[in-house]
């Protein structure tokens, strides 16, 4: 790891936040200067050289992006970490698109700053290949991925932004929501598109097989290993490695992955030479990885390494605006593939498809449409061509939703009251509610409760 401290400039107009950050940084051994405006920051940058500038986006005399642009034009360019407002994804997108080396959302808590700094510093030492991505006009990513829902639109925008970097990406989402497709789409929109896209599902293989699958092995490493064999990391050299179901990686594998990501080097199973590869990593999970970290099931350091940028695939339920679009896409595709003259879906069938709650998400929809195209006797898909479960959905879902919201509302109210009473301290609120902290986190997430911005 990086041990030598560097020199930092903190640009933040809120005096308390500024001093808090500066103290934290000085305590970590960084030489740290502070400034409260764009003007004085640029003044300092002219006089002294800094390794990293930590810069607020909103400043009294302008916007942090102007400091970023100023830095980008220098030959000895400092790395820039932008501090964006709470949960405002537009800012995060803009920050990355403008070429920031990293961004943090305020409030900055726990070790986020230190983690970000070590990432940024590591890249500085690593060499020039990570230096800023020039801003380019966004290109549409909608050729294979369709969606009109605003969350999908946001996702496409992020896909487009991250495709131009080699940042590690974490894709979260329920099974069948399109994680694999998104990973593929990032690769196809990156400048690595002509190099391999290699996919490995961590859940599909036993621990030893998975290690050898990823890192390769030397002859004699284990019974059956008759000759040297390169692993997927090597196969993906110059391209993208997509690790699906990362949550299922064993503790031992997590350690090896951490090292491979951190140092970009690894040894094949059974010894042999250390190998170095240039791989863009995308990982995916259908679990709540942060929750697994809290429960001690997933290494925190690895989590921070993979969670540089997170993309969340929204489930298909509650996205009914996208259903006709997807139905059309796949009706046409299967009609062509299967050579059947199915040209339309009748309104009753479409309504039913829009009402259904799709527990298997888009994957389930794709299967339902394929089946309907096969079963369809004429040119139009009708109610009869849909599976029983889809047709019967409506009354049941409505009843279940009514019950759920009737139960959920008082619970939400209680939790918010308790959090407010304890100044949003989760430990104390959990205690007063008689539940543990993890349960409280889960409930907050389920009810969409977020602490107010400071
Ligand atoms: N937005 C989308 N537009 C078009 N097809 C989609 C979309 N999302 C998912 N699909 C399709 O749904 C199926 C499941 O997607 P996949 O990426 O395998 O999901 P996951 O990896 O999350 O389980 C695939 O056939 C994929 O092509
Ligand atoms: Mg998948």
């Amino acid at each position: 790891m990086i041990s030598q401290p560097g020199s930092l400039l903190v640009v933040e107009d809120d005096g308390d936040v500024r001093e808090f950050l500066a103290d934290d940084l000085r305590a970590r051994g960084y030489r740290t200067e502070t400034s409260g405006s764009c003007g004085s920051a640029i003044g300092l940058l002219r006089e002294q050289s800094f390794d990293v500038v930590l810069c607020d986006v909103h400043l009294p005399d302008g916007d942090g992006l102007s400091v970023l642009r100023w830095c980008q034009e220098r030959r000895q360019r400092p790395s820039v970490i932008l501090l964006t407002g709470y949960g405002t994804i537009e800012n995060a997108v803009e920050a990355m698109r403008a070429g920031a080396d990293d961004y943090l959302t305020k409030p900055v808590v726990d070790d986020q700053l230190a983690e970000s700094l070590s990432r940024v510093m590591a890249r500085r030492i690593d060499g020039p290949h990570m230096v800023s991505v020039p801003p380019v006009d966004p290109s549409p990513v909608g050729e294979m991925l369709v969606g009109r829902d605003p969350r999908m639109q946001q996702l496409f925008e992020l896909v487009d932004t991250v495709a131009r970097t080699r940042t590690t990406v974490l894709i979260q989402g329920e099974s069948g929501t399109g994680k694999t497709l998104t990973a593929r789409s990032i690769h196809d929109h990156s400048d690595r598109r002509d190099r391999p896209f290699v996919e490995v599902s961590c859940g599909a293989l036993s621990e030893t097989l998975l290690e050898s699958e990823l890192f390769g092995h030397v002859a004699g490493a284990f019974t059956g290993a008759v000759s040297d064999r390169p692993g997927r990391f090597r196969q993906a050299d110059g391209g993208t490695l997509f690790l699906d179901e990362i949550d299922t990686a064993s503790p031992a594998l997590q350690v090896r992955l951490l090292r491979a990501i951190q140092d970009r080097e690894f040894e094949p199973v059974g010894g042999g030479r250390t190998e170095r590869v240039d791989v863009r990593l995308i990982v995916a999970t259908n679990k709540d990885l942060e929750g697994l970290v809290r429960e001690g099931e997933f290494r925190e350091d690895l989590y921070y390494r993979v969670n540089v940028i997170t993309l969340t695939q929204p489930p298909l339920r509650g996205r009914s605006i996208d259903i006709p679009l997807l139905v059309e896409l796949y009706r046409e595709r299967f009609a062509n593939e299967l050579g059947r003259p199915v040209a339309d879906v009748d309104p009753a069938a479409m309504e039913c498809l829009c009402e259904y709650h799709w527990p298997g998400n888009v994957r389930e929809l794709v299967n339902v449409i394929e089946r309907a195209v096969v079963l369809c006797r004429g040119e139009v898909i009708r109610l009869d061509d849909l599976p029983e479960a889809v047709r019967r959905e409506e009354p049941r879902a409505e009843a279940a939703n009514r019950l759920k919201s009737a139960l959920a509302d008082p619970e939400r109210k209680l939790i918010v009251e308790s959090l407010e009473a304890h100044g949003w301290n989760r430990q104390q609120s959990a205690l007063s509610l008689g539940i543990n902290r993890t349960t409280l986190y889960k409930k907050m997430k389920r009810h969409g409760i977020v602490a107010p911005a400071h």
Side-chain angles (χ1 to χ4, degrees):
M1 282 292 302
I2 318 302
S3 54
Q4 66 266 53
S7 59
L8 261 71
L9 174 61
V10 177
V11 191
E12 160 69 61
D13 57 329
D14 181 323
D16 289 341
V17 177
R18 186 174 62 230
E19 289 319 313
F20 167 79
L21 292 173
D23 285 349
D24 184 19
L25 293 169
R26 286 182 190 124
R28 291 176 197 275
Y30 294 103
R31 181 173 70 77
T32 308
E33 300 278 342
T34 59
S35 145
S37 67
C38 292
S40 76
I42 290 173
L44 275 168
L45 282 159
R46 280 186 209 286
E47 288 164 15
Q48 305 175 36
S49 77
F50 292 95
D51 292 313
V52 182
V53 181
L54 184 66
C55 186
D56 189 15
V57 173
H58 299 289
L59 291 162
D61 58 339
D63 129 67
L65 294 173
S66 61
V67 177
L68 169 64
R69 280 189 286 272
W70 192 90
C71 291
Q72 281 171 330
E73 283 157 19
R74 302 302 108 176
R75 212 141 44 94
Q76 294 275 307
R77 146 171 152 57
S79 301
V80 177
I81 301 173
L82 287 175
L83 286 167
T84 69
Y86 185 81
T88 53
I89 199 74
E90 296 80 8
N91 282 336
V93 170
E94 218 185 322
M96 295 308 288
R97 181 169 288 163
D101 296 85
D102 204 357
Y103 69 90
L104 288 167
T105 32
K106 288 200 281 188
V108 180
V109 291
D110 303 331
D111 283 336
Q112 283 172 351
L113 177 56
E115 293 286 342
S116 169
L117 275 174
S118 59
R119 274 196 297 265
V120 168
M121 291 297 226
R123 282 181 219 144
R124 285 183 78 72
I125 289 168
D126 242 20
H129 54 264
M130 277 303 298
V131 181
S132 113
V133 192
V136 184
D137 284 335
S139 65
V141 290
E143 307 105 50
M144 338 183 263
L145 271 165
V146 303
R148 280 201 199 111
D149 184 277
R151 286 165 296 173
M152 292 303 287
Q153 296 284 327
Q154 252 175 22
L155 183 81
F156 299 157
E157 219 181 302
L158 267 175
V159 164
D160 193 53
T161 308
V162 301
R164 283 184 244 117
T165 69
R166 62 174 276 177
T167 313
T168 302
V169 178
L170 167 65
I171 307 176
Q172 290 192 301
E174 289 175 22
S175 184
T177 48
K179 298 185 293 295
T180 302
L181 198 58
T182 296
R184 180 79 226 193
S185 169
I186 293 174
H187 173 77
D188 289 346
H189 285 83
S190 74
D191 55 9
R192 300 171 169 252
R193 67 181 77 87
D194 298 325
R195 307 284 307 157
F197 175 81
V198 177
E199 182 179 347
V200 184
S201 177
C202 300
L205 296 167
S206 72
E207 183 178 336
T208 15
L209 275 181
L210 184 57
E211 284 205 34
S212 121
E213 179 80 9
L214 286 174
F215 304 110
H217 62 242
V218 295
F222 48 85
T223 328
V226 282
S227 56
D228 289 5
R229 185 167 168 267
R232 301 298 203 142
F233 264 94
R234 157 114 351 261
Q235 284 171 6
D237 198 9
T240 306
L241 179 63
F242 175 47
L243 294 183
D244 204 356
E245 296 180 73
I246 184 87
D247 52 279
T248 62
S250 69
L253 186 66
Q254 290 181 31
V255 174
R256 292 195 67 151
L257 278 175
L258 180 68
R259 157 118 203 273
I261 299 173
Q262 217 160 251
D263 307 335
R264 297 216 184 90
E265 54 180 47
F266 58 87
E267 280 100 37
V269 175
R273 270 186 303 122
T274 299
E275 299 192 29
R276 283 188 79 82
V277 288
D278 164 27
V279 164
R280 197 278 167 79
L281 196 69
I282 303 179
V283 307
T285 175
N286 58 13
K287 299 274 157 48
D288 166 21
L289 213 51
E290 203 182 341
L292 293 181
V293 170
R294 279 197 299 273
E295 283 154 21
E297 306 271 329
F298 196 83
R299 290 184 70 100
E300 190 172 18
D301 43 11
L302 181 58
Y303 174 68
Y304 280 120
R305 279 288 163 186
V306 297
N307 183 30
V308 184
I309 298 245
T310 303
L311 305 187
T312 305
Q313 303 278 154
L316 187 54
R317 67 182 158 283
R319 253 206 297 144
S320 51
I321 187 177
D322 290 345
I323 290 177
L325 222 61
L326 287 162
V327 168
E328 267 312 292
L329 178 73
Y330 286 101
R331 182 205 47 77
E332 200 181 336
R333 190 171 297 174
F334 287 121
N336 288 334
E337 258 175 39
L338 303 166
R340 299 188 60 97
V342 182
D344 210 351
V345 179
D346 89 5
M350 187 60 98
E351 194 182 328
C352 191
L353 291 165
C354 291
E355 293 289 339
Y356 184 56
H357 75 301
W358 301 110
N361 294 298
V362 188
R363 177 171 300 120
E364 186 182 6
L365 180 139
V366 173
N367 291 338
V368 165
I369 301 303
E370 180 174 16
R371 178 182 180 279
V373 168
V374 170
L375 289 180
C376 181
R377 298 244 174 73
E379 293 190 351
V380 181
I381 293 175
R382 303 187 192 284
L383 269 182
D384 281 354
D385 302 323
L386 304 180
E388 185 73 19
V390 177
R391 274 184 284 151
R392 277 232 228 102
E393 160 76 5
E394 216 242 324
R396 230 193 314 141
E398 224 174 60
N401 280 341
R402 262 205 314 278
L403 182 62
K404 238 193 225 153
S405 54
L407 289 172
D409 278 345
E411 183 178 73
R412 186 177 203 284
K413 204 164 148 240
L414 261 176
I415 293 174
V416 173
E417 275 171 12
S418 159
L419 282 163
E420 280 171 357
H422 295 95
W424 292 84
N425 180 310
R426 285 164 210 191
Q427 181 72 56
Q428 286 173 16
S429 299
L431 220 79
S432 84
L433 290 164
I435 52 179
N436 66 33
R437 208 154 53 124
T438 316
T439 312
L440 178 61
Y441 270 108
K442 285 193 186 136
K443 287 185 185 294
M444 286 176 67
K445 207 163 165 199
R446 180 142 41 81
H447 292 300
I449 301 172
V450 257
H454 304 292

